[in-house]
Amino acid sequence: MSTLHTVNKSPFNHATLSQCARLCHDQDAIVLLEDGVYGALTSSPCATDLASLLARGVALFALECDLRARGLEARLLPGIQVTDERGFVRLSLEHKTLQSWY
Amino acid sequence: MRRQLLFINRHSPYGESVARDALDAVMTAAAYDQHISLLFLDDGVFQLLVGQAPGSIAQKSLGASLPALPLYEVEDIYVHLGSLQARGLSPEDLILESVTLLDDAAVQALRARQDHILSF
């Protein structure tokens, strides 16, 4: 039974994303949104955590509108999928529960 | 229909109102006869620390309210062991005696049993 996680804090200022990564199950997915999208940068302090999540099968998404607003679209870690609001809604339906990390 | 609800508390008790909001929501949900579990995670474990005396900052004690939870039939209370350890705390430092300590895998298993998660 999988969970969709959302993270809305920058990992440069907060431990939220690494805390989420620690308790993420292999079948789960994470959506980075609001300031959480800074976690998708190649320079992300959580880059190693995210790479091991991807290797375990966890799907990682960043919300397009938040990336665009911050000028980040061309600076993403490999393996991060960009999604929009429609995709976000679809993801929320594909998982049994949602945990919001804020 | 009786559903499995998990309330996840990740915030310390007095810096913002979210911990108080969580307790209010728990007691409301309990009134609707749902199966409720509470998980204290990350800074949320500070909500359980003994010796809280927030009169000094003109707030009511959150910790003092927690022992009342069994009166609301909220008895499944879980604490993430790694969060305790990272903050230099042990189970003896907690207000509640009857908590269940969970490792990372047990948190994942607890989450997998739920119909809904409420994140505070």
Side-chain angles (χ1 to χ4, degrees):
Chain A
M1 285 298 125
S2 65
T3 297
L4 181 66
H5 303 266
T6 64
V7 176
N8 75 340
K9 293 285 192 298
S10 164
F12 293 95
N13 264 359
H14 300 267
T16 318
L17 179 54
S18 63
Q19 290 163 338
C20 168
R22 173 173 179 169
L23 294 173
C24 206
H25 191 268
D26 295 356
Q27 272 111 52
D28 291 354
I30 302 175
V31 176
L32 304 172
L33 48 82
E34 300 168 11
D35 278 348
V37 296
Y38 289 111
L41 291 176
T42 51
S43 57
S44 173
C46 291
T48 312
D49 285 345
L50 296 184
S52 64
L53 287 177
L54 284 168
R56 288 205 279 124
V58 176
L60 302 178
F61 299 88
L63 208 56
E64 183 184 25
C65 55
D66 290 319
L67 290 172
R68 186 181 303 163
R70 291 162 180 78
L72 308 182
E73 295 141 295
R75 301 169 188 277
L76 303 185
L77 284 165
I80 302 279
Q81 303 178 61
V82 176
T83 190
D84 56 11
E85 278 106 342
R86 191 174 281 272
F88 185 17
V89 171
R90 192 169 56 241
L91 284 167
S92 71
L93 294 172
E94 287 169 1
H95 293 80
K96 188 180 177 207
T97 50
L98 187 146
Q99 182 174 359
S100 170
W101 300 74
Y102 60 95
Chain B
M1 184 176 161
R2 200 154 194 260
R3 289 181 174 273
Q4 300 274 340
L5 304 186
L6 174 63
F7 289 77
I8 300 182
N9 294 286
R10 293 188 52 253
H11 293 259
S12 54
Y14 301 112
E16 48 200 340
S17 68
V18 62
R20 172 65 57 185
D21 296 342
L23 195 59
D24 290 345
V26 165
M27 290 177 173
T28 304
Y32 287 90
D33 192 31
Q34 302 299 301
H35 186 275
I36 291 170
S37 304
L38 261 69
L39 169 63
F40 293 88
L41 180 65
D42 299 326
D43 273 354
V45 298
F46 285 131
Q47 295 182 32
L48 298 176
L49 189 61
V50 292
Q52 297 173 37
S56 58
I57 51 171
Q59 294 202 45
K60 280 194 279 188
S61 176
L62 192 81
S65 309
L66 294 171
L69 287 173
L71 299 176
Y72 293 80
E73 294 184 11
V74 177
E75 285 164 345
D76 292 337
I77 299 176
Y78 301 92
V79 178
H80 179 230
L81 182 59
S83 301
L84 273 187
Q85 290 169 335
R87 288 159 184 78
L89 303 176
S90 65
E92 297 77 57
D93 298 313
L94 304 182
I95 290 168
L96 301 177
E97 285 172 13
S98 57
V99 299
T100 304
L101 300 173
L102 302 182
D103 63 13
D104 293 1
V107 169
Q108 295 173 353
L110 172 67
R111 208 166 47 204
R113 295 199 297 271
Q114 306 305 317
D115 293 309
H116 295 291
I117 294 172
L118 292 97
S119 307
F120 288 93

